[in-house]
Amino acid sequence: MAVTMHVKSDSEVTSMDHGSSPPRSPRRLVYFVQSPSNHDVEKMSYGSSPMGSPHHYYHCSPIHHSRESSTSRFSASLKNTRNHSAWKKIQKEPESDDDDDENDDGVGTFGGLGRNLRLYICFVFLFVVLFSVFSLILWSASKGYKPKVFVKNIVFENFNIQAGSDHSGVATDMLSLNSTVKLVYRNPATFFGVHVTSTPLELHYYQLQLASGQMKKFYQSRKSQRTVVTVVVGHQVPLYGGIAAIPNTREHHEKMAIPMNLTLVVRSRAYILGRLVKSKFYRRVQCSVTLRGNRLGKPHNLTKSCDYR
């Protein structure tokens, strides 16, 4: 806002004080400038009159007024722009925070699930490794406790060869044999028991099978042993000339001697850690024995005539 006023110059004031009327000087325009956007009143220059009273006048030219007005308007515009930008920022910040919270919640939840999954996988893997190592240690330790099998003796109860015919009607000598085999089974293990089975016990005359018998399966606890007796029999076995005919007389029976082989395989299975850790043991036994007619009904000692593998 600009206001135009007529102000007397200093020379005119001095002339009036002395009562003389000097020639008039040209009048000068004085402008008061106030910025509408600025609440602070601009400082004005103080002029001293000869009377010593201050006059709050600001002397400027129209060019200076124009520059000040442009500067004030630019400052006000810049300030309004900054205020408007700050208000927009204040309005946007809560939304941004909400979005960040939602994103953080989603990422945090997914990250938590992923971390829990990784921990679970690591725990399972560590458990499998430790369990495998522990099982391997037990399995290796069990191999140092192999079961022991000893065939003590065999008793031939009776032996008979007589003429006959096989199932197809072919005439041949027929053999009947009845015997019992006694063996000792020992489990030296200190931390597991074993389940024991075996293949059939067989008596052979070279390649000809004369008798067989099946041992009953059983369970043997740790650090224990038992004696097992198995019946091995042969009934009406066709010889087809494999064994020379033996007269059925007492004298010839006492003199007969027929070499035989007794064979069997003892199988032991240990469940060390339930069904998860198992250990198997096999013991192959082959004994040489001679059937003598004068020792029927008496035990034939086999402790030194058997091979164990």
Side-chain angles (χ1 to χ4, degrees):
M1 176 178 182
V3 180
T4 305
M5 297 179 63
H6 296 281
V7 182
K8 293 180 179 183
S9 63
D10 294 340
S11 61
E12 290 177 345
V13 174
T14 306
S15 299
M16 290 177 64
D17 290 341
H18 293 279
S20 63
S21 55
R24 296 182 178 179
S25 60
R27 298 176 179 177
R28 292 190 297 180
L29 297 178
V30 179
Y31 294 91
F32 294 89
V33 181
Q34 183 179 3
S35 177
S37 60
N38 192 358
H39 297 287
D40 297 332
V41 180
E42 297 182 355
K43 295 181 180 181
M44 299 180 182
S45 61
Y46 291 88
S48 300
S49 66
M51 301 299 294
S53 59
H55 297 278
H56 301 281
Y57 303 138
Y58 180 71
H59 300 276
C60 63
S61 64
I63 298 175
H64 182 75
H65 166 71
S66 178
R67 289 179 179 178
E68 292 294 332
S69 300
S70 300
T71 304
S72 301
R73 285 195 298 270
F74 179 75
S75 176
S77 176
L78 182 60
K79 187 178 295 185
N80 291 335
T81 302
R82 290 178 179 176
N83 292 338
H84 185 65
S85 300
W87 175 248
K88 284 186 176 181
K89 185 177 181 181
I90 292 173
Q91 288 181 338
K92 289 183 178 180
E93 280 181 355
E95 297 178 358
S96 178
D97 292 341
D98 293 340
D99 294 339
D100 292 341
D101 292 340
E102 292 178 359
N103 294 333
D104 291 343
D105 292 341
V107 173
T109 303
F110 181 76
L113 292 175
R115 183 166 53 255
N116 293 336
L117 181 60
R118 288 194 297 271
L119 290 176
Y120 177 76
I121 293 175
C122 291
F123 174 77
V124 172
F125 178 75
L126 182 61
F127 175 78
V128 171
V129 171
L130 292 178
F131 181 79
S132 300
V133 172
F134 180 69
S135 301
L136 183 61
I137 292 173
L138 290 178
W139 182 83
S140 300
S142 67
K143 292 302 180 180
Y145 297 95
K146 295 181 180 180
K148 308 296 182 181
V149 179
F150 304 99
V151 179
K152 294 184 68 177
N153 57 58
I154 182 172
V155 178
F156 295 100
E157 304 292 342
N158 59 60
F159 177 85
N160 185 31
I161 297 177
Q162 60 184 13
S165 60
D166 61 7
H167 62 280
S168 61
V170 177
T172 182
D173 294 330
M174 309 295 290
L175 179 145
S176 295
L177 173 66
N178 188 7
S179 64
T180 57
V181 177
K182 184 183 292 185
L183 60 88
V184 176
Y185 184 91
R186 181 183 302 167
N187 179 20
T190 58
F191 60 94
F192 61 87
V194 290
H195 298 266
V196 184
T197 59
S198 77
T199 61
L201 283 73
E202 298 178 349
L203 283 171
H204 291 82
Y205 175 74
Y206 297 102
Q207 300 299 322
L208 179 62
Q209 180 178 323
L210 300 180
S212 66
Q214 182 65 54
M215 183 181 74
K216 294 181 180 180
K217 60 182 180 180
F218 59 91
Y219 174 79
Q220 193 66 37
S221 59
R222 59 189 182 89
K223 298 184 68 174
S224 63
Q225 69 177 30
R226 71 170 62 193
T227 300
V228 181
V229 178
T230 304
V231 176
V232 180
V233 297
H235 180 68
Q236 295 295 310
V237 178
L239 299 178
Y240 302 111
I243 298 178
I246 300 174
N248 193 13
T249 62
R250 183 178 179 83
E251 182 180 355
H252 287 86
H253 271 263
E254 290 179 354
K255 292 181 179 180
M256 73 175 181
I258 302 175
M260 297 182 183
N261 291 321
L262 173 68
T263 60
L264 73 152
V265 178
V266 180
R267 296 175 294 192
S268 305
R269 181 176 298 176
Y271 298 100
I272 302 171
L273 196 60
R275 296 279 179 174
L276 299 177
V277 181
K278 297 182 291 185
S279 188
K280 299 179 181 180
F281 306 93
Y282 296 92
R283 194 72 165 174
R284 299 180 182 275
V285 182
Q286 182 174 354
C287 303
S288 299
V289 58
T290 300
L291 190 158
R292 299 184 182 278
N294 58 356
R295 293 186 61 83
L296 289 176
K298 296 178 182 180
H300 291 68
N301 191 1
L302 299 178
T303 54
K304 294 182 180 180
S305 59
C306 293
D307 181 25
Y308 304 95
R309 291 176 293 175

